[in-house]
Amino acid sequence: MEIKKILFFFLMFSLTVTLHAQQITVQGTVYEEGTKNPIPGANVIVKGTTQGTSTDFEGHYTLPNVPSNAVLEVSFVGMQTQDVKVAGRSRINVTLRENTQELKEVVVIGYGTTQKRDLTGSIASIKTEQFADRPSTNPVASIQGKVAGVQIVNTGRAGQDPEIRIRGTNSINGYTPLYVVDGLFTDNINYLNPQDIESMEILKDPSSLAIFGVRGANGVIIISTKKAKKGTTMVNINSSLGFKTIYDRIKMANGDEFRELFKEELASREDVDNRYFDFSKWTANTDWQDEIFRKAAWVTNHNISIASSNEKSKFYLGAGYTEEEGSIKHEKLSKTTLSVSSDYNLTDYLRLGFQANGSRTLPADAKGVAGALKAAPIAEPYDSATGLLNYLPNFQGTQVGNPLIDIEKLANHNKAVNHRLAGNVYGELDILKDLTFKATLSMDYRVGESRAYTPIIWVFNRDTNKRINTNEQESISQSKSTTMATQQDYILTYKKMFDKHNLTLMTGLTSNYLEHTSLNGSRQQKMEDIIFSIPDENDSKWWLSSIGNESGAKNGSGQYRRFTMSYLFRALYNYDNRYLVNASFRRDGASVFHNLGNTWDNFYSFGAGWVVSEEAFMKRQKAISYLKLKGSWGVLGNQNTPNNYPTYPILQSSGSAVFGDRIITGYAPKYLVQNLGWEKTYAWEAGAEIRFLDNRLSIEPVYYRKNTKDLIVELASFAGAKNSLQNLGEIENKGWELSASWNDKAKDSDFSYSFSGNLTTIKNTVLSLGRGKDDALYNGTKGISRTLEGHPIGHFYGYKVIGVYQNNDDISNSPKNTLTDVLPGDLKFADINGDGKITPADRTEIGNPTPDFTYGFNVSLAYKGFDLTADFMGVYGNEIYRGWGESEYAILNYQAHRMGRWRGAGTSNWEPVIDNSRAINRMNSNYYIEDGSFFRFRNLQIGYSLPQQVLERLKVKKIRVYANAQNIKTWHKNTGYTPEIGGSALAFGIDGGTYPMPMILTYGINLTF
């Protein structure tokens, strides 16, 4: 019996040892988290041994003779090392996450690159996966709410560019940032395919912006297009199809409500003879918004790219086609893009290459929504007997047309095509081991052409039961514009590491030339002169030459040229990865002020940082994984001017004189030219980068302040002096930026998640306009936007409403209104200055279109092959001016809130009487001011990537399918379609009937071979 027990335990021990010692072959693929791209060159070793291997170009590895209970250690430069238990498995796929502690990420800066950890300022880096598969033709639109300090105003119109303001509005002459595409300066990137972009860097701080000189004050967005990755050949196909719809309509009066309100208006008006209208022919209940909008508009996007690389060369070719229908019927945009780049190593020290991006765009014949909001709902769209569009009732007909005239009869009657080609060629030479010279020649060439034809429009007049024409002549217009920009960059870079010192020096010479020309013309012929009418259905005949009658001919042209030359220098230094210093200098010479002797000016910056977490005293704690304190100061430039030749004012009529029997018109310059120079922005910021809990929690607070001085201002004549254009005034923008994120992965699980958010406060103040505190600039509808010392730029200016006059006693007991005669039911204004009467002096600031703060937050979840991202964003504290829905000369459809109008004492103390003849109620006041704050569920995307086992059988590298929903829901308080209202530097936030923002649903597939 004892022998049996001994033999039993011996066998069990032998089996255990055998199982423990069993060795297997492990295979798999190493991926990058987020992009799901394979990682070539990753190390896979058996932990505690020297046994290991590296992944091939496709991220695959094979490791033989691995103990079944071993632990694999997988690592790659810049990624977090991961330990994976084998547990007897023969196939193990591993996903590596970026090691934020090392901060090895390379970011693109002006004329070079650097590691993120060496930055002393605020640069936000956006990767392609954050915007490429979103349904936006302009990639900037897709990063809305993702970056602190960046306010993006999107539009629902197909192909229209978003507006972007970085840290507020810096100047009265413009706010648009500079775009730099592979080194080329440009004013927009609407010609690029988002699928061809590798990354976007948004530069906000003075230390990174000063190197751009007169182009840096409004911020810079650097675009890097895709190139082939070393050692790989890859084909990528991305295709999506979807639709968009308008779910948020403006509430207007229906047919019955209109008849009720119109009857009431006729009864109350004293300026009409006939206070009765016969509605017997106008019994409809038409929703004109339904008539102009599509139920669903299709959106398609198809892209293919080929990238190949070997030891000597890299090549990339990308092509894309986008077609997007507008929310209004018959609108359609189409765009074809092509991107190509090639880099070749002639020797170990000499490299050559080129890059080009081209596009052909057919813009939508864009229509507006204003007509649908104005038209009376009591009119039928068509006459059933003749099939013609109906002429609107006589109280509208001469001022408001049937909205379907523009939508149906004039659909696609404006034909336009835009071509653009931009790119560069370069040569790069390693003069010494640490010294490199690069020469780049760039060009941006664009041509825009358009033709428009307006035929004779016939409609049916129900009042007369006759066919009538709405216009007396047919017309054709034609235009063409050409813009060419050339740029030369000669850059010398020195990089040296010695002991604990890391030094990068850059110097160079750059020049930029811009030329623009345009021609336009139009021809008309009256009905009685038409012998052969131009065919309405044949756009090949819509040319100026189709109308021979030159009596109504008009022609025009325009042109301008600009040239800039610059010398630049930058130094980046860090010691032991702890102490960071950088400085930059740029001297710009420009043609704009050459004749005044102010050709040259200097711009410069200084930045410093301290990586506290690298100090010895921080090694004894574990709460803070990384801590960097940073700050920068600099002087930036703004090249925007009121016109292209500010030192050569145009001549304008200044009266006339009689000499004998001749009347001679006099001309004088529009303004007197002073000693003009560039506007300058003096900016500084201070902040920190902090990471806690083993780099899972990241927080980055920054305080910024920018003062733009020497504003180029044209003020009205003063004390009999002529208008002058001169450097006057100062604008200040200041506030806080806060970015935070949490990235984590569940232990022993395939589930990972991340949360990120940002918040930006903005306080904009005009400190001075130069001459005195009463100097002001007025813009916008009826001068609603005012720019004045001590107030925000472009704030709303008007009367403050404190109620509605309820009766004559109320009028008698209130301050006397000297603006106009008032009656019960009219708006009651506040006596701001307390002089006992209402005068123009009682106008005051009634709203601010600049928000108090903007914010956004994002959620990302991933489990095995599934991924989900959700984006949210919002704006708080700004106001909108409602500039639509009122007219002095016509009866328009009523907004739904007008049902709560004043109808007698005590009925309303906010909505005035229904009577558009009362001028007091149309004056600029806060009756038209609305809350512009909103919160939006911006985007939701759900995707699934097929597992590696399936991909290997299909012989592909990646297959991902996804569904995306954009603009899912917006919570807002304004009455318009959208709370996103853009504008100019001096007049923005004015809703004149803004195009609606649609919800867009798309479904797509991404294949990589």
Side-chain angles (χ1 to χ4, degrees):
M1 191 67 178
E2 293 296 328
I3 295 176
K4 290 182 179 180
K5 289 182 180 180
I6 293 173
L7 290 174
F8 175 80
F9 283 115
F10 177 79
L11 290 172
M12 292 298 295
F13 177 78
S14 299
L15 181 61
T16 302
V17 172
T18 302
L19 289 173
H20 185 270
Q22 182 180 358
Q23 295 182 329
I24 60 177
T25 297
V26 179
Q27 296 178 324
T29 306
V30 180
Y31 298 97
E32 179 183 353
E33 185 181 73
T35 64
K36 304 299 181 183
N37 291 328
I39 301 177
N43 297 317
V44 183
I45 65 173
V46 178
K47 191 169 184 177
T49 73
T50 58
Q51 180 187 359
T53 186
S54 297
T55 57
D56 60 19
F57 292 139
E58 296 181 352
H60 301 324
Y61 72 92
T62 300
L63 195 59
N65 303 321
V66 178
S68 58
N69 63 345
V71 174
L72 298 184
E73 184 178 86
V74 186
S75 63
F76 185 73
V77 176
M79 298 288 182
Q80 294 180 4
T81 299
Q82 189 172 149
D83 292 341
V84 183
K85 295 180 180 178
V86 175
R89 295 177 292 172
S90 61
R91 173 165 294 281
I92 302 176
N93 295 329
V94 182
T95 300
L96 296 183
R97 176 183 299 169
E98 178 188 358
N99 190 336
T100 55
Q101 183 177 12
E102 292 184 12
L103 292 171
K104 294 291 186 179
E105 178 186 358
V106 174
V107 295
V108 181
I109 56 177
Y111 307 98
T113 61
T114 189
Q115 290 185 356
K116 187 175 181 179
R117 71 167 302 144
D118 294 335
L119 296 175
T120 62
S122 299
I123 298 180
S125 184
I126 312 289
K127 301 304 180 185
T128 181
E129 57 268 16
Q130 295 180 263
F131 56 80
D133 51 11
R134 305 295 196 266
S136 298
T137 55
N138 191 313
V140 172
S142 297
I143 65 172
Q144 185 184 41
K146 292 180 178 290
V147 182
V150 179
Q151 182 185 5
I152 296 174
V153 175
N154 279 325
T155 171
R157 192 182 295 279
Q160 185 169 338
D161 294 333
E163 293 184 4
I164 179 169
R165 301 179 194 232
I166 298 177
R167 291 184 173 177
T169 305
N170 300 308
S171 170
I172 64 174
N173 294 306
Y175 58 84
T176 305
L178 168 69
Y179 295 91
V180 181
V181 181
D182 294 321
L184 173 64
F185 288 15
T186 185
D187 56 357
N188 66 62
I189 55 171
N190 55 14
Y191 67 99
L192 294 178
N193 184 345
Q195 292 285 341
D196 292 326
I197 296 177
E198 184 68 33
S199 67
M200 284 193 287
E201 269 76 31
I202 302 178
L203 283 57
K204 302 177 289 182
D205 71 285
S207 66
S208 62
L209 292 173
I211 200 68
F212 294 99
V214 295
R215 304 290 295 272
N218 290 328
V220 175
I221 300 178
I222 299 180
I223 306 294
S224 300
T225 57
K226 288 183 177 178
K227 295 182 179 293
K229 292 179 170 58
K230 186 175 181 180
T232 63
T233 297
M234 190 175 296
V235 178
N236 181 267
I237 298 174
N238 194 307
S239 183
S240 64
L241 172 66
F243 64 92
K244 58 184 183 181
T245 185
I246 302 298
Y247 63 85
D248 206 357
R249 302 290 180 89
I250 292 180
K251 296 179 181 179
M252 304 295 295
N254 60 30
D256 291 336
E257 292 169 338
F258 180 88
R259 281 181 279 271
E260 175 187 344
L261 295 176
F262 186 44
K263 288 178 183 178
E264 188 175 307
E265 177 160 6
L266 287 176
S268 67
R269 291 183 62 162
E270 298 181 354
D271 62 336
V272 294
D273 297 328
N274 185 3
R275 299 191 181 186
Y276 171 78
F277 181 81
D278 183 6
F279 288 101
S280 61
K281 294 182 179 181
W282 309 99
T283 59
N285 183 25
T286 301
D287 187 334
W288 289 106
Q289 294 178 81
D290 280 346
E291 296 296 326
I292 70 168
F293 289 137
R294 284 186 168 108
K295 294 286 189 295
W298 292 99
V299 180
T300 61
N301 194 2
H302 309 289
N303 305 278
I304 183 171
S305 64
I306 303 171
S308 180
S309 174
N310 56 39
E311 293 182 357
K312 299 286 289 185
S313 66
K314 292 189 293 184
F315 176 79
Y316 177 88
L317 174 65
Y321 177 76
T322 297
E323 187 173 285
E324 180 180 352
E325 293 182 338
S327 298
I328 294 178
K329 293 176 180 178
H330 307 299
E331 290 182 335
K332 185 172 73 172
L333 162 84
S334 66
K335 184 170 77 170
T336 303
T337 61
L338 185 68
S339 177
V340 59
S341 68
S342 179
D343 303 272
Y344 189 77
N345 299 333
L346 287 177
T347 67
D348 292 340
Y349 55 85
L350 180 60
R351 297 166 292 279
L352 302 174
F354 74 89
Q355 174 274 330
N357 290 283
S359 70
R360 181 178 187 269
T361 304
L362 301 178
D365 183 5
K367 306 300 183 181
V369 299
L373 302 178
K374 294 176 180 179
I378 60 175
E380 293 280 359
Y382 290 90
D383 176 64
S384 58
T386 63
L388 293 173
L389 290 172
N390 273 320
Y391 191 69
L392 295 185
N394 57 21
F395 58 80
Q396 281 198 325
T398 55
Q399 288 90 16
V400 181
N402 187 320
L404 295 187
I405 293 177
D406 200 30
I407 305 303
E408 297 289 351
K409 295 299 182 182
L410 296 178
N412 298 312
H413 274 55
N414 191 333
K415 299 288 185 179
V417 58
N418 299 323
H419 293 92
R420 189 166 182 179
L421 178 64
N424 63 63
V425 295
Y426 77 89
E428 190 171 31
L429 174 67
D430 295 334
I431 301 174
L432 299 172
K433 177 183 177 181
D434 303 311
L435 184 64
T436 303
F437 174 75
K438 184 176 183 179
T440 306
L441 306 178
S442 306
M443 175 178 284
D444 182 0
Y445 190 81
R446 52 187 124 165
V447 178
E449 300 176 88
S450 69
R451 298 177 290 127
Y453 170 56
T454 303
I456 303 294
I457 304 294
W458 295 92
V459 296
F460 185 77
N461 189 331
R462 282 195 158 189
D463 291 325
T464 62
N465 285 322
K466 292 181 179 180
R467 187 184 78 151
I468 62 172
N469 53 290
T470 62
N471 51 332
E472 299 292 335
Q473 60 186 17
E474 63 179 3
S475 62
I476 288 178
S477 63
Q478 194 175 329
S479 67
K480 181 177 182 178
S481 64
T482 303
T483 304
M484 182 185 70
T486 61
Q487 184 175 312
Q488 302 178 62
D489 300 317
Y490 304 98
I491 304 299
L492 193 65
T493 305
Y494 175 78
K495 291 185 177 182
K496 182 69 174 179
M497 294 182 64
F498 47 96
D499 296 329
K500 296 182 179 181
H501 304 276
N502 191 335
L503 177 65
T504 301
L505 301 176
M506 182 276 296
T507 187
L509 168 69
T510 178
S511 67
N512 187 282
Y513 174 77
L514 177 66
E515 179 180 291
H516 172 85
T517 60
S518 65
L519 291 171
N520 62 81
S522 64
R523 302 286 188 274
Q524 300 86 28
Q525 56 182 354
K526 295 182 179 180
M527 289 181 61
E528 58 268 23
D529 298 329
I530 296 176
I531 300 176
F532 298 103
S533 182
I534 299 170
D536 188 25
E537 68 284 352
N538 187 357
D539 61 31
S540 65
K541 304 294 185 181
W542 300 351
W543 300 92
L544 290 181
S545 56
S546 295
I547 296 180
N549 184 357
E550 297 183 0
S551 60
K554 297 179 181 179
N555 302 293
S557 66
Q559 70 82 224
Y560 62 85
R561 296 176 179 175
R562 281 194 172 191
F563 179 75
T564 304
M565 176 177 283
S566 309
Y567 303 96
L568 44 96
F569 170 81
R570 180 176 59 221
L572 303 173
Y573 171 78
N574 81 64
Y575 174 75
D576 197 22
N577 291 324
R578 286 185 291 168
Y579 310 115
L580 317 172
V581 177
N582 66 59
S584 61
F585 173 82
R586 178 166 178 145
R587 181 168 173 78
D588 278 333
S591 61
V592 177
F593 301 127
H594 175 68
N595 66 315
L596 296 179
N598 294 333
T599 304
W600 294 92
D601 216 330
N602 302 322
F603 306 93
Y604 39 87
S605 70
F606 175 82
W610 177 25
V611 184
V612 184
S613 54
E614 292 295 320
E615 299 292 348
F617 63 83
M618 290 290 290
K619 303 301 182 182
R620 295 187 294 270
Q621 57 81 41
K622 296 183 179 180
I624 299 177
S625 308
Y626 179 83
L627 171 60
K628 178 169 71 176
L629 305 178
K630 59 182 182 178
S632 62
W633 174 90
V635 180
L636 317 174
N638 184 359
Q639 74 158 8
N640 295 325
T641 54
N643 55 70
N644 292 305
Y645 293 98
T647 63
Y648 296 93
I650 63 173
L651 298 178
Q652 60 184 14
S653 175
S654 61
S656 58
V658 179
F659 293 90
D661 58 352
R662 298 179 61 190
I663 300 177
I664 307 298
T665 302
Y667 291 91
K670 183 180 179 182
Y671 52 79
L672 298 177
V673 179
Q674 304 299 314
N675 189 31
L676 286 177
W678 296 115
E679 297 179 355
K680 288 187 176 182
T681 297
Y682 296 80
W684 65 271
E685 72 164 33
E689 297 176 22
I690 316 170
R691 289 173 175 80
F692 303 92
L693 304 175
D694 196 23
N695 293 303
R696 288 176 292 178
L697 175 61
S698 172
I699 299 176
E700 186 171 347
V702 174
Y703 178 80
Y704 67 91
R705 184 169 181 172
K706 302 189 296 181
N707 287 66
T708 302
K709 301 182 179 182
D710 298 326
L711 295 174
I712 300 177
V713 184
E714 181 186 348
L715 292 175
S717 57
F718 180 73
K722 186 72 177 177
N723 293 7
S724 63
L725 186 70
Q726 52 190 310
N727 293 107
L728 297 169
E730 181 178 355
I731 292 178
E732 179 183 73
N733 288 276
K734 61 183 179 181
W736 284 91
E737 293 177 359
L738 177 64
S739 301
S741 65
W742 173 275
N743 295 275
D744 202 2
K745 183 175 183 179
K747 188 176 182 180
D748 298 326
S749 170
D750 293 318
F751 178 69
S752 62
Y753 57 96
S754 66
F755 306 95
S756 63
N758 66 84
L759 174 73
T760 304
T761 67
I762 308 168
K763 183 172 177 55
N764 174 281
T765 306
V766 177
L767 300 182
S768 170
L769 281 181
R771 296 189 312 199
K773 64 179 182 178
D774 294 326
D775 277 325
L777 301 173
Y778 297 91
N779 298 87
T781 307
K782 296 181 290 187
I784 182 63
S785 298
R786 182 181 69 165
T787 299
L788 179 70
E789 178 180 321
H791 297 265
I793 188 171
H795 65 272
F796 299 133
Y797 175 65
Y799 298 97
K800 183 178 180 181
V801 175
I802 58 174
V804 173
Y805 292 115
Q806 297 299 315
N807 48 46
N808 288 322
D809 288 340
D810 192 1
I811 296 175
S812 299
N813 296 327
S814 301
K816 179 177 176 57
N817 194 315
T818 66
L819 305 174
T820 185
D821 292 334
V822 293
L823 296 170
D826 288 340
L827 294 175
K828 183 195 301 185
F829 296 156
D831 180 15
I832 297 298
N833 62 5
D835 63 357
K837 53 187 176 181
I838 305 301
T839 67
D842 290 309
R843 288 175 295 178
T844 186
E845 179 181 337
I846 56 175
N848 182 9
T850 299
D852 294 333
F853 62 84
T854 62
Y855 59 94
F857 59 94
N858 321 99
V859 179
S860 297
L861 308 175
Y863 179 72
K864 294 187 181 295
F866 293 93
D867 60 88
L868 179 148
T869 59
D871 302 332
F872 306 85
M873 55 80 60
V875 169
Y876 180 81
N878 62 305
E879 281 79 40
I880 292 171
Y881 176 79
R882 186 180 70 248
W884 59 274
E886 302 289 339
S887 173
E888 179 181 359
Y889 305 105
I891 301 295
L892 310 181
N893 191 16
Y894 304 98
Q895 299 167 54
H897 64 82
R898 296 294 277 135
M899 292 299 294
R901 76 285 185 195
W902 182 92
R903 303 187 301 281
T907 55
S908 173
N909 202 34
W910 181 254
E911 290 292 342
V913 66
I914 298 289
D915 185 348
N916 74 339
S917 69
R918 301 197 187 182
I920 189 72
N921 300 327
R922 296 192 309 273
M923 293 182 180
N924 288 337
S925 70
N926 66 328
Y927 171 73
Y928 298 100
I929 299 298
E930 299 179 339
D931 189 349
S933 304
F934 71 92
F935 173 71
R936 173 172 293 157
F937 190 172
R938 170 65 178 157
N939 203 86
L940 175 67
Q941 184 170 117
I942 301 174
Y944 176 70
S945 299
L946 270 63
Q948 186 63 32
Q949 298 90 323
V950 177
L951 298 178
E952 290 179 354
R953 288 199 296 269
L954 298 175
K955 300 187 182 303
V956 297
K957 296 180 180 178
K958 178 182 178 181
I959 298 180
R960 180 177 180 267
V961 293
Y962 62 90
N964 194 90
Q966 192 171 91
N967 301 322
I968 300 169
K969 176 64 177 176
T970 302
W971 290 265
H972 63 103
K973 297 179 181 179
N974 67 305
T975 56
Y977 286 112
T978 173
E980 291 190 79
I981 313 293
S984 66
L986 291 175
F988 54 104
I990 302 174
D991 186 356
T994 305
Y995 200 94
M997 183 72 68
M999 178 177 68
I1000 309 175
L1001 300 175
T1002 54
Y1003 306 89
I1005 183 171
N1006 183 282
L1007 295 88
T1008 303
F1009 300 92

